[in-house]
């Protein structure tokens, strides 16, 4: 099993790089890839950059050039569900693009026009369970599952937060996950998105971002390492 791991933050990639045995370093397009092993697993680690195009591009590069069998993306998000607190973690049950709007043509918001598959991309159940099991070791935050929304917008308005929560039943919102999920699904590669809540998507922050980044990255790395240790090959 060959794992593709995409980090959204430099800190996550740097921490995993320190712990893995890197065999190959290769740049393709704008992305630097690190191929090697971690916890006895074959992995390819990289950072995608911001936005849906970067997310989908990176996922496809992992599939085409490194033949990954699993894709895991980790980063930060804004909370949509009012019960989420800053630093809580959401494990994707599914992903959807909230900014895809062809309603003028008779399609629903978030629906990919003329697409032969479901526009809500479902994450792999085994990966979900492995992430939840690894997350049980985190005693200082709550770990949830739910739909993760993605769009090429930074959401910072309370009315938009309420709209996305009510319209899509989204747990949180970010800028890459659904695009990574789309690429994974059409290539029939299992995927999972892991997001730490940096804010409530309302333009208000309650913590120094540098401090948050350090703590969120450490938790994300802990979950990924737990998944790599516990997942059984099939």
């Amino acid at each position: 099993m060959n794992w593709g791991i995409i980090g959204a933050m430099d800190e996550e990639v740097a921490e995993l790089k320190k712990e893995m045995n890197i065999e190959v370093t290769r740049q393709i397009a704008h992305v630097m890839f690190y191929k090697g092993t971690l916890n006895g697993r074959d992995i390819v680690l990289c950072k995608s950059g911001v936005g849906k195009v970067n997310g989908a591009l990176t996922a496809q590069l992992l599939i085409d050039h490194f033949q990954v069998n699993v894709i895991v993306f980790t980063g930060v998000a804004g909370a949509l569900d009012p019960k989420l607190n800053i630093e809580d973690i959401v494990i994707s049950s599914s992903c959807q693009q909230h900014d895809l709007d062809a309603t003028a043509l008779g399609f629903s918001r978030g629906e990919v026009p003329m697409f032969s598959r479901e526009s809500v991309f479902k994450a792999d159940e085994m990966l979900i369970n492995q992430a939840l099991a690894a997350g049980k070791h985190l005693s200082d935050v709550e770990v949830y599952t739910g739909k993760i929304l993605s769009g090429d917008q930074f959401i910072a308005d309370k009315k938009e937060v309420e709209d996305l929560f009510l319209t899509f039943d989204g747990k949180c919102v970010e800028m890459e996950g659904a695009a990574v999920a789309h690429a994974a699904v059409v290539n029939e590669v299992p995927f999972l998105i892991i997001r730490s809540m940096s804010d409530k998507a309302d333009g208000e922050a309650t913590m120094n971002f540098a401090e948050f980044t350090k703590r969120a990255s450490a938790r994300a790395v802990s979950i990924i390492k737990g998944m790599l240790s516990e997942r059984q090959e099939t």
Side-chain angles (χ1 to χ4, degrees), residues 136-179:
K136 288 180 179 178
H137 301 291
L138 302 175
S139 59
D140 55 342
V141 296
E142 297 294 328
V143 180
Y144 298 89
T145 57
K147 183 195 283 187
I148 295 178
L149 303 181
S150 306
D152 285 319
Q153 304 164 352
F154 187 88
I155 304 299
D157 179 86
K158 292 181 180 180
K159 289 184 178 179
E160 288 186 84
V161 169
E162 183 177 5
D163 173 58
L164 293 176
F165 180 58
L166 295 176
T167 301
F168 295 100
D169 191 29
K171 203 80 169 174
C172 63
V173 62
E174 35 86 311
M175 299 178 71
E176 299 86 23

Side-chain angles (χ1 to χ4, degrees), residues 22 75 105 194 214 225 230:
I22 298 174
L105 300 176
I194 303 169
K214 182 178 180 180
K225 288 172 61 180
E230 296 173 21

Side-chain angles (χ1 to χ4, degrees), residues 21 63-64 78 101 122 129 139 154 168 178 182 215 217-219:
N21 175 32
I63 294 165
D64 288 345
D101 189 345
K122 294 182 180 179
N129 292 334
S139 59
F154 187 88
F168 295 100
H182 190 149
R215 289 159 57 160
S217 296
R219 294 189 190 102

Side-chain angles (χ1 to χ4, degrees), residues 87-150:
E87 298 192 83
D88 282 348
I89 294 171
V90 175
I91 306 297
S92 64
S93 58
S94 62
C95 297
Q96 188 172 13
Q97 300 175 66
H98 69 80
D99 63 343
L100 208 167
D101 189 345
T103 53
L105 300 176
F107 297 94
S108 301
R109 283 178 63 190
E111 182 180 358
V112 183
M114 283 84 70
F115 186 50
S116 62
R117 300 179 185 234
E118 171 65 52
S119 297
V120 177
F121 305 111
K122 294 182 180 179
D124 182 75
E125 285 291 337
M126 186 176 291
L127 291 173
I128 293 170
N129 292 334
Q130 290 293 330
L132 288 173
K136 288 180 179 178
H137 301 291
L138 302 175
S139 59
D140 55 342
V141 296
E142 297 294 328
V143 180
Y144 298 89
T145 57
K147 183 195 283 187
I148 295 178
L149 303 181
S150 306

Side-chain angles (χ1 to χ4, degrees), residues 22 29 31 38 83 139 148 178 224:
I22 298 174
V31 184
L38 178 63
K83 74 179 181 183
S139 59
I148 295 178
I224 290 172

Side-chain angles (χ1 to χ4, degrees), residues 3 18 21 33 65 77 79 105 119 131 134 146 148 160 168 179 185 206 212-213 221 232:
W3 288 56
K18 285 193 298 185
N21 175 32
F33 295 91
H65 292 272
L105 300 176
S119 297
I148 295 178
E160 288 186 84
F168 295 100
V185 165
T206 59
F212 163 80
T213 298
V221 168
Q232 298 297 311

